[in-house]
Coordinates of all heavy atoms in Angstrom, one line a residue:
V1 N 56.2 83.6 125.2 CA 57.2 84.4 124.4 C 57.8 83.5 123.3 O 58.1 82.3 123.6 CB 58.4 84.8 125.4 CG1 59.4 85.5 124.6 CG2 57.8 85.7 126.5
T2 N 57.8 84.0 122.1 CA 58.4 83.2 121.0 C 59.7 83.9 120.7 O 60.0 85.0 121.1 CB 57.4 83.3 119.8 OG1 57.4 84.6 119.3 CG2 56.1 82.8 120.1
T3 N 60.5 83.2 119.8 CA 61.8 83.8 119.4 C 61.6 85.1 118.7 O 62.5 85.9 118.7 CB 62.5 82.8 118.5 OG1 61.7 82.4 117.4 CG2 63.0 81.6 119.3
A4 N 60.4 85.4 118.1 CA 60.2 86.7 117.5 C 60.0 87.8 118.5 O 60.0 89.0 118.2 CB 59.0 86.6 116.6
D5 N 59.7 87.4 119.8 CA 59.4 88.4 120.8 C 60.6 89.0 121.5 O 60.5 89.8 122.4 CB 58.5 87.8 121.9 CG 57.1 87.5 121.3 OD1 56.7 88.2 120.3 OD2 56.4 86.6 121.8
F6 N 61.8 88.5 121.2 CA 63.0 89.0 121.8 C 64.2 88.9 120.9 O 64.1 88.2 119.9 CB 63.3 88.3 123.2 CG 63.6 86.9 123.1 CD1 64.9 86.4 122.7 CD2 62.6 85.9 123.4 CE1 65.1 85.0 122.6 CE2 62.9 84.6 123.3 CZ 64.1 84.1 122.9
S7 N 65.1 89.7 121.2 CA 66.3 89.8 120.3 C 67.5 89.8 121.3 O 67.4 90.0 122.5 CB 66.4 91.0 119.5 OG 66.4 92.2 120.3
S8 N 68.7 89.5 120.7 CA 69.9 89.5 121.5 C 70.2 90.9 122.0 O 70.0 91.8 121.2 CB 71.1 89.0 120.7 OG 71.0 87.6 120.4
G9 N 70.5 91.1 123.2 CA 70.8 92.4 123.8 C 72.2 92.4 124.2 O 72.7 91.4 124.7
G10 N 72.8 93.5 124.2 CA 74.2 93.6 124.6 C 75.1 92.7 123.9 O 76.1 92.2 124.5
G11 N 74.8 92.4 122.7 CA 75.6 91.4 121.9 C 75.4 90.0 122.2 O 76.1 89.1 121.8
G12 N 74.3 89.7 123.0 CA 74.0 88.4 123.4 C 75.1 87.7 124.3 O 75.3 86.5 124.2
E13 N 75.8 88.6 125.0 CA 76.9 88.1 125.8 C 76.4 87.2 127.0 O 75.3 87.4 127.5 CB 77.7 89.3 126.3 CG 78.3 90.1 125.2 CD 78.8 91.4 125.6 OE1 78.8 91.7 126.8 OE2 79.3 92.1 124.7
S14 N 77.3 86.4 127.5 CA 77.0 85.6 128.6 C 77.0 86.4 129.9 O 77.5 87.6 129.9 CB 77.9 84.4 128.7 OG 79.2 84.9 128.9
S15 N 76.6 85.9 131.0 CA 76.4 86.6 132.2 C 77.1 85.9 133.4 O 77.7 84.9 133.3 CB 74.9 86.8 132.5 OG 74.4 85.6 132.9
D16 N 76.8 86.5 134.6 CA 77.2 85.8 135.8 C 76.3 84.8 136.2 O 76.5 84.1 137.2 CB 77.3 86.9 136.9 CG 78.5 87.8 136.7 OD1 79.5 87.5 136.0 OD2 78.4 89.0 137.2
Y17 N 75.2 84.6 135.5 CA 74.2 83.6 135.8 C 74.5 82.3 135.0 O 74.9 82.3 133.9 CB 72.8 84.0 135.4 CG 72.3 85.2 136.3 CD1 72.3 86.5 135.8 CD2 72.0 85.0 137.6 CE1 71.8 87.5 136.6 CE2 71.5 86.0 138.4 CZ 71.5 87.3 137.9 OH 71.0 88.3 138.7
V18 N 74.2 81.2 135.6 CA 74.3 79.9 135.0 C 72.9 79.3 135.0 O 72.2 79.2 136.0 CB 75.3 78.9 135.8 CG1 75.3 77.6 135.1 CG2 76.6 79.5 135.8
C19 N 72.4 78.9 133.8 CA 71.0 78.3 133.7 C 71.0 76.9 134.3 O 72.1 76.3 134.7 CB 70.5 78.3 132.3 SG 71.3 77.1 131.2
N20 N 69.8 76.3 134.4 CA 69.7 75.0 134.9 C 70.3 73.9 134.1 O 70.5 72.7 134.5 CB 68.2 74.7 135.1 CG 67.6 75.6 136.2 OD1 68.2 75.9 137.2 ND2 66.4 76.1 135.9
C21 N 70.7 74.2 132.8 CA 71.4 73.3 131.9 C 72.9 73.3 132.3 O 73.7 72.4 131.8 CB 71.2 73.7 130.5 SG 69.6 73.6 129.9
G22 N 73.4 74.3 133.1 CA 74.8 74.4 133.4 C 75.6 75.3 132.5 O 76.8 75.3 132.6
N23 N 74.9 76.0 131.6 CA 75.6 76.9 130.7 C 75.4 78.3 131.1 O 74.4 78.7 131.8 CB 74.9 76.7 129.3 CG 75.1 75.3 128.8 OD1 76.2 74.8 128.8 ND2 74.1 74.8 128.2
P24 N 76.3 79.2 130.7 CA 76.2 80.6 131.0 C 74.9 81.1 130.4 O 74.6 80.8 129.2 CB 77.4 81.3 130.4 CG 78.4 80.2 130.2 CD 77.6 78.9 130.0
A25 N 74.1 81.9 131.1 CA 72.8 82.5 130.6 C 73.2 83.5 129.6 O 74.2 84.1 129.6 CB 72.0 83.1 131.7
K26 N 72.3 83.8 128.6 CA 72.5 84.7 127.6 C 71.6 85.9 127.8 O 70.4 85.8 128.1 CB 72.1 84.1 126.2 CG 72.8 84.8 125.0 CD 73.0 83.7 124.0 CE 74.3 84.1 123.3 NZ 74.6 83.3 122.2
E27 N 72.1 87.1 127.5 CA 71.3 88.4 127.7 C 70.5 88.6 126.4 O 71.1 88.5 125.3 CB 72.2 89.5 128.0 CG 71.4 90.8 128.3 CD 72.2 92.0 128.8 OE1 73.4 92.0 128.6 OE2 71.6 92.8 129.5
R28 N 69.3 88.9 126.5 CA 68.4 89.3 125.4 C 67.6 90.5 125.8 O 67.5 90.9 126.9 CB 67.5 88.1 125.1 CG 68.3 86.8 124.7 CD 67.4 85.8 124.2 NE 68.0 84.5 123.9 CZ 68.7 84.2 122.8 NH1 68.7 85.1 121.8 NH2 69.3 83.0 122.7
T29 N 66.9 91.0 124.8 CA 66.0 92.2 125.0 C 64.6 91.8 124.6 O 64.4 91.3 123.5 CB 66.5 93.4 124.2 OG1 67.9 93.7 124.5 CG2 65.7 94.6 124.4
A30 N 63.6 92.1 125.4 CA 62.2 91.9 125.1 C 61.8 92.8 123.9 O 62.2 93.9 123.9 CB 61.3 92.2 126.3
G31 N 61.1 92.2 123.0 CA 60.6 92.9 121.8 C 59.4 93.8 122.0 O 58.8 93.7 123.1
A32 N 59.1 94.5 121.0 CA 58.0 95.5 121.1 C 56.6 94.8 121.3 O 55.7 95.4 121.9 CB 57.9 96.3 119.8
A33 N 56.5 93.5 120.9 CA 55.2 92.8 121.1 C 55.0 92.2 122.5 O 54.0 91.5 122.7 CB 55.1 91.7 120.0
T34 N 55.9 92.5 123.4 CA 55.8 91.9 124.7 C 55.3 93.0 125.7 O 55.1 94.1 125.4 CB 57.2 91.5 125.2 OG1 58.0 92.6 125.4 CG2 57.8 90.5 124.2
T35 N 55.0 92.6 127.0 CA 54.6 93.5 128.0 C 55.7 94.3 128.6 O 55.4 95.3 129.3 CB 53.9 92.7 129.1 OG1 54.8 91.8 129.7 CG2 52.6 92.0 128.6
H36 N 57.0 94.0 128.2 CA 58.1 94.8 128.7 C 59.1 95.1 127.6 O 60.2 94.7 127.6 CB 58.9 94.0 129.8 CG 58.0 93.6 131.0 ND1 57.8 94.5 132.0 CD2 57.4 92.5 131.4 CE1 57.0 94.0 132.9 NE2 56.8 92.7 132.6
P37 N 58.6 95.8 126.6 CA 59.5 96.1 125.4 C 60.7 96.8 125.8 O 60.7 97.8 126.6 CB 58.6 97.0 124.5 CG 57.5 97.5 125.4 CD 57.3 96.5 126.5
G38 N 61.8 96.4 125.2 CA 63.1 97.0 125.5 C 63.8 96.6 126.8 O 64.9 97.0 127.0
R39 N 63.2 95.8 127.6 CA 63.8 95.4 128.9 C 64.7 94.2 128.7 O 64.3 93.2 128.0 CB 62.7 95.1 129.9 CG 63.1 94.9 131.3 CD 62.0 94.7 132.2 NE 62.4 94.5 133.6 CZ 61.7 94.2 134.6 NH1 60.4 94.0 134.4 NH2 62.2 94.0 135.8
N40 N 65.9 94.3 129.2 CA 66.8 93.2 129.1 C 66.6 92.1 130.1 O 66.2 92.4 131.2 CB 68.3 93.7 129.2 CG 68.7 94.5 128.1 OD1 68.0 94.6 127.0 ND2 69.8 95.3 128.2
F41 N 66.9 90.9 129.7 CA 66.8 89.7 130.6 C 67.8 88.7 130.2 O 68.4 88.7 129.2 CB 65.3 89.1 130.5 CG 64.9 88.6 129.2 CD1 65.1 87.3 128.8 CD2 64.4 89.5 128.2 CE1 64.8 86.8 127.6 CE2 64.0 89.0 127.0 CZ 64.2 87.7 126.6
F42 N 68.0 87.7 131.1 CA 68.9 86.6 130.9 C 68.0 85.3 130.8 O 67.1 85.2 131.6 CB 69.9 86.5 132.0 CG 70.9 87.6 132.0 CD1 70.7 88.7 132.9 CD2 72.0 87.6 131.2 CE1 71.6 89.7 132.9 CE2 72.9 88.6 131.2 CZ 72.7 89.7 132.0
C43 N 68.4 84.4 129.9 CA 67.7 83.2 129.7 C 68.7 82.1 129.3 O 69.8 82.4 129.0 CB 66.5 83.3 128.8 SG 67.1 83.7 127.1
C44 N 68.2 80.9 129.2 CA 69.0 79.8 128.7 C 69.5 80.1 127.3 O 68.8 80.7 126.5 CB 68.2 78.5 128.7 SG 69.1 77.0 128.2
S45 N 70.8 79.8 127.1 CA 71.4 80.1 125.8 C 71.0 79.1 124.7 O 71.3 79.3 123.5 CB 72.9 80.1 126.0 OG 73.4 78.9 126.4
K46 N 70.4 78.0 125.1 CA 70.0 77.0 124.1 C 68.7 77.4 123.4 O 68.0 78.3 123.9 CB 69.7 75.6 124.8 CG 71.0 75.0 125.3 CD 70.7 73.6 125.8 CE 71.9 72.9 126.4 NZ 71.7 71.6 126.9
S47 N 68.5 76.9 122.2 CA 67.3 77.2 121.4 C 66.0 76.8 122.2 O 66.0 75.9 123.0 CB 67.3 76.5 120.1 OG 68.4 76.8 119.4
K48 N 64.9 77.5 121.9 CA 63.7 77.2 122.5 C 63.3 75.8 122.2 O 63.4 75.3 121.1 CB 62.6 78.2 122.0 CG 61.3 78.0 122.7 CD 60.2 79.0 122.3 CE 59.0 78.7 123.0 NZ 58.1 79.8 123.2
G49 N 62.9 75.1 123.2 CA 62.5 73.7 123.1 C 63.7 72.7 123.4 O 63.5 71.5 123.6
E50 N 64.9 73.3 123.4 CA 66.1 72.4 123.7 C 66.7 72.7 125.0 O 67.4 71.9 125.6 CB 67.2 72.7 122.6 CG 66.8 72.2 121.2 CD 67.8 72.5 120.2 OE1 69.0 72.8 120.6 OE2 67.5 72.5 119.0
G51 N 66.4 73.9 125.6 CA 67.0 74.3 126.8 C 66.0 74.2 128.0 O 65.0 73.6 127.9
C52 N 66.4 74.9 129.1 CA 65.6 75.0 130.3 C 64.7 76.2 130.3 O 64.8 77.0 129.4 CB 66.4 74.9 131.5 SG 67.6 76.2 131.7
D53 N 64.0 76.4 131.3 CA 63.1 77.6 131.5 C 63.7 78.7 132.3 O 63.0 79.6 132.8 CB 61.8 77.2 132.1 CG 60.9 76.3 131.2 OD1 61.1 76.5 129.9 OD2 60.1 75.5 131.7
F54 N 65.1 78.7 132.4 CA 65.7 79.8 133.2 C 65.4 81.1 132.7 O 65.4 81.4 131.5 CB 67.2 79.6 133.2 CG 68.0 80.6 133.9 CD1 68.1 80.6 135.3 CD2 68.5 81.7 133.3 CE1 68.8 81.6 136.0 CE2 69.2 82.7 133.9 CZ 69.3 82.7 135.3
F55 N 65.1 82.1 133.6 CA 64.8 83.5 133.3 C 65.0 84.4 134.4 O 64.7 84.1 135.6 CB 63.3 83.6 132.9 CG 62.8 84.9 132.5 CD1 62.9 85.4 131.2 CD2 62.4 85.8 133.5 CE1 62.6 86.7 130.9 CE2 62.0 87.1 133.2 CZ 62.1 87.5 131.9
V56 N 65.7 85.5 134.2 CA 65.9 86.6 135.2 C 66.0 87.9 134.5 O 66.6 88.0 133.4 CB 67.1 86.3 136.1 CG1 68.4 86.3 135.2 CG2 67.3 87.3 137.2
W57 N 65.3 88.9 135.0 CA 65.4 90.3 134.5 C 66.8 90.8 134.8 O 67.2 90.7 136.0 CB 64.3 91.2 135.1 CG 62.9 90.9 134.6 CD1 61.9 90.4 135.4 CD2 62.4 91.1 133.3 NE1 60.8 90.3 134.6 CE2 61.1 90.7 133.4 CE3 62.9 91.5 132.1 CZ2 60.2 90.7 132.2 CZ3 62.1 91.5 131.0 CH2 60.8 91.1 131.1
S58 N 67.4 91.4 133.9 CA 68.8 91.9 134.1 C 68.9 93.1 135.0 O 69.9 93.4 135.7 CB 69.5 92.2 132.8 OG 68.9 93.2 132.1
D59 N 67.8 93.9 135.2 CA 67.8 95.1 136.0 C 67.4 94.9 137.4 O 67.6 95.8 138.2 CB 67.0 96.2 135.3 CG 65.5 95.8 135.1 OD1 65.1 94.6 135.4 OD2 64.7 96.6 134.7
D60 N 66.9 93.7 137.8 CA 66.5 93.5 139.2 C 67.1 92.2 139.8 O 67.0 92.1 141.0 CB 65.0 93.6 139.4 CG 64.3 92.4 138.8 OD1 64.9 91.4 138.3 OD2 63.0 92.5 138.7
G61 N 67.7 91.4 139.0 CA 68.3 90.2 139.5 C 67.4 89.2 140.1 O 67.8 88.2 140.8
E62 N 66.1 89.3 139.9 CA 65.1 88.3 140.5 C 64.8 87.3 139.4 O 64.4 87.7 138.3 CB 63.9 89.0 140.9 CG 64.1 89.9 142.2 CD 62.8 90.4 142.7 OE1 61.8 89.8 142.6 OE2 62.9 91.5 143.4
S63 N 65.0 86.1 139.7 CA 64.7 85.0 138.8 C 63.4 84.3 139.0 O 62.9 84.3 140.1 CB 65.8 83.9 138.9 OG 65.5 82.8 138.2
T64 N 62.8 83.8 138.0 CA 61.6 83.0 138.1 C 62.0 81.5 138.2 O 61.2 80.7 138.4 CB 60.7 83.2 136.9 OG1 61.4 82.8 135.7 CG2 60.2 84.6 136.8
D65 N 63.3 81.2 138.1 CA 63.7 79.8 138.1 C 65.1 79.6 138.8 O 65.9 78.8 138.4 CB 63.8 79.3 136.7 CG 63.7 77.8 136.6 OD1 63.2 77.2 137.5 OD2 64.2 77.2 135.6
G66 N 65.3 80.4 139.9 CA 66.5 80.2 140.7 C 67.8 80.4 140.1 O 68.5 79.4 139.8
P67 N 68.3 81.6 139.8 CA 69.6 81.8 139.2 C 70.7 81.3 140.1 O 70.6 81.3 141.3 CB 69.7 83.3 139.1 CG 68.9 83.8 140.2 CD 67.7 82.9 140.3
Q68 N 71.8 80.8 139.5 CA 72.9 80.3 140.2 C 74.1 81.1 139.8 O 74.4 81.2 138.6 CB 73.1 78.8 139.9 CG 71.9 78.0 140.2 CD 72.1 76.6 139.6 OE1 73.2 76.2 139.1 NE2 71.1 75.8 139.7
P69 N 74.8 81.8 140.7 CA 76.0 82.5 140.3 C 77.1 81.6 139.6 O 77.2 80.5 140.1 CB 76.5 83.1 141.6 CG 75.5 82.9 142.6 CD 74.6 81.8 142.1
A70 N 77.7 82.1 138.6 CA 78.8 81.4 138.0 C 80.0 81.4 138.9 O 80.2 82.3 139.7 CB 79.2 82.0 136.7
D71 N 80.8 80.3 138.9 CA 82.0 80.2 139.7 C 83.2 80.9 139.0 O 83.3 81.0 137.9 CB 82.4 78.8 140.0 CG 81.3 78.2 140.9 OD1 80.8 78.9 141.8 OD2 81.1 76.9 140.9

């Protein structure tokens, strides 16, 4: 996935998830060129290459990298 493959969703607001960097995860929307176009997900709020690989679909709450609830 490249930065062209997703856009900010829901205003790019933070979530109840905290990424592995310790920051609130950011909600984004998968783009048309992906296998899940229009589907929202949460990921690290840092730029690609600067952050971690945190990822969770917003509609099922299942993470590929162990979500941690925010306190």
Side-chain angles (χ1 to χ4, degrees):
V1 176
T2 66
T3 53
D5 293 334
F6 61 81
S7 62
S8 292
E13 297 169 3
S14 62
S15 71
D16 291 335
Y17 293 107
V18 175
C19 75
N20 296 320
C21 297
N23 299 315
K26 202 149 215 186
E27 185 174 23
R28 300 190 186 272
T29 303
T34 67
T35 56
H36 299 283
R39 190 173 179 190
N40 290 347
F41 61 93
F42 292 97
C43 63
C44 181
S45 61
K46 292 184 179 180
S47 300
K48 186 173 177 155
E50 294 179 15
C52 63
D53 292 331
F54 176 83
F55 179 88
V56 61
W57 290 113
S58 61
D59 57 358
D60 66 11
E62 292 187 26
S63 171
T64 61
D65 201 22
Q68 302 168 8
D71 291 330

